[in-house]
Amino acid sequence: MPELPEVETVVRELRAHGLVGRTVAGVGVAWPRVLVGDTPGAFTRKLRGRRIEVVGRRAKYILLKFSGGMSLAIHLRMTGQLHFAARAAPRDVHETIWLVFEDGEELRFHDTRKFGVWKAAASLDALLPELGPEPFDPAFTVKVFRERLSGQRRAIKTLLLDQAFLAGVGNIYADEALWDAKLHPQRRADGLTRAQAAALYAAVRRVLTAGIANNGTSLGDGATNFARLEGRRGGNASTLKVFRRDGQPCPRCGVELRRIVVGQRGTHFCPRCQRSKTP
DNA sequence: ATCGCAGCCTGTACGC
DNA sequence: TGCGTACAGGCTGCGA
């Protein structure tokens, strides 16, 4: 569920809570598969005794850099949530892994669907898959975006969701950006005009910026929705124009919004504003 | 290169 | 109310 704005929100809150400077005294693992490729023992040996020096983000990964050149990547996937707790506080059944700090507090990972992943390694290359540019990297200009689009025959929405093409965009913000740019989700990516590519570039940044400003998007109120640190909810849902609003009127033209499937993902758009599949 | 599908899990919403 | 089914914001691996 979490996309770039949601992960960025969590990262900022981790910093604000004072995660930097903590030293790992131990690791608790209730669901070993969260570690993918490491046993709990091997994982613990990588982190124990190390101090957290930097808390950052790359794509949808939370990155913790530790003393001695070790890094930890956390991917929240669909339902991952982080929260701090006193060591003695009771554990929820959905808590799959936690760091124990020397000060007695714990950073706990609550993950209902258990898709989330924690991975530790000395190099970022070993930690992260191939990832496209960060949408807010100054080097990621509209020119770069256009160059990356060329030769891409896939549907534009599929491309926006491809983390190797562009990092951080997920289903919500892809739909919102395409509506903003007035582009049909199934348009062939290399068929966009110069102006359309520029509009999409701006739209992606605009919807992500709004998402961050509103601390992410939380929908509904079940246990499977995005929550910020400590279970707080993001406020961006009220700004969404099309996502999961099929059947309701388009905020721009009033026509009923529709839902289709593109690349096996639910896709929401306005059949009037976002018209042609082909230029 | 690109596509579709299964799989990883559990909770929620909806139809009957 | 209960039960079955579809669906979910992510990603990977596989075969075609």
Side-chain angles (χ1 to χ4, degrees):
Chain A
M1 333 188 42
E3 307 178 27
L4 186 154
E6 289 71 37
V7 178
E8 182 63 27
T9 296
V10 172
V11 163
R12 291 179 183 187
E13 293 186 314
L14 287 170
R15 288 193 201 115
H17 188 92
L19 186 58
V20 173
R22 309 278 188 120
T23 299
V24 176
V27 181
V29 182
W31 178 260
R33 285 160 79 171
V34 68
L35 293 174
V36 180
D38 253 341
T39 63
F43 180 82
T44 303
R45 283 190 289 279
K46 287 178 179 175
L47 297 186
R48 185 185 282 141
R50 296 185 191 273
R51 178 180 178 275
I52 297 174
E53 295 181 334
V54 181
V55 179
R57 178 191 62 74
R58 170 78 170 109
K60 300 174 192 172
Y61 292 84
I62 297 166
L63 292 177
L64 306 187
K65 292 194 179 183
F66 292 80
S67 55
M70 185 59 66
S71 291
L72 168 62
I74 297 174
H75 200 303
L76 306 173
R77 290 286 178 92
M78 302 286 270
T79 56
Q81 302 176 13
L82 292 167
H83 66 108
F84 287 91
R87 208 169 176 169
R91 287 185 199 296
D92 187 282
V93 288
H94 297 301
E95 289 170 8
T96 58
I97 188 169
W98 53 93
L99 298 179
V100 184
F101 298 118
E102 286 184 344
D103 61 14
E105 206 172 28
E106 295 182 350
L107 176 63
R108 299 183 178 178
F109 189 52
H110 182 286
D111 187 17
T112 311
R113 286 179 73 181
K114 299 192 174 101
F115 287 171
V117 172
W118 284 33
K119 188 171 182 185
S123 81
L124 288 185
D125 284 345
L127 225 42
L128 303 174
E130 185 195 346
L131 292 167
E134 282 292 323
F136 296 110
D137 185 335
F140 177 61
T141 60
V142 66
K143 182 166 178 285
V144 170
F145 184 55
R146 272 195 284 111
E147 286 166 359
R148 293 180 69 80
L149 284 173
S150 73
Q152 291 285 351
R153 307 166 64 89
R154 288 182 280 173
I156 185 62
K157 166 147 182 184
T158 302
L159 205 56
L160 290 179
L161 293 179
D162 182 348
Q163 299 301 294
F165 174 78
L166 179 64
V169 175
N171 212 23
I172 296 177
Y173 296 97
D175 282 2
E176 293 297 313
L178 288 166
W179 178 85
D180 188 310
K182 300 184 182 177
L183 290 171
H184 193 287
Q186 288 175 316
R187 275 287 295 270
R188 228 178 85 161
D190 63 2
L192 301 194
T193 66
R194 207 180 163 93
Q196 287 170 334
L200 182 56
Y201 172 86
V204 166
R205 288 188 163 209
R206 192 153 47 233
V207 299
L208 294 176
T209 299
I212 293 169
N214 291 309
N215 299 307
T217 302
S218 295
L219 298 165
D221 41 34
T224 57
N225 288 304
F226 164 69
R228 297 155 57 192
L229 196 62
E230 312 304 351
R232 292 191 291 269
R233 298 169 51 70
N236 196 58
S238 62
T239 77
L240 300 182
K241 305 297 192 297
V242 289
F243 189 77
R244 290 203 192 157
R245 294 177 60 87
D246 40 306
Q248 298 180 52
C250 170
R252 194 162 44 206
C253 79
V255 158
E256 191 171 297
L257 298 172
R258 288 189 52 204
R259 180 186 188 276
I260 57 175
V261 175
V262 179
Q264 294 87 239
R265 309 299 300 278
T267 297
H268 315 77
F269 74 110
C270 170
R272 179 189 283 173
C273 294
Q274 297 165 262
R275 223 170 311 213
S276 54
K277 283 191 202 176
T278 49

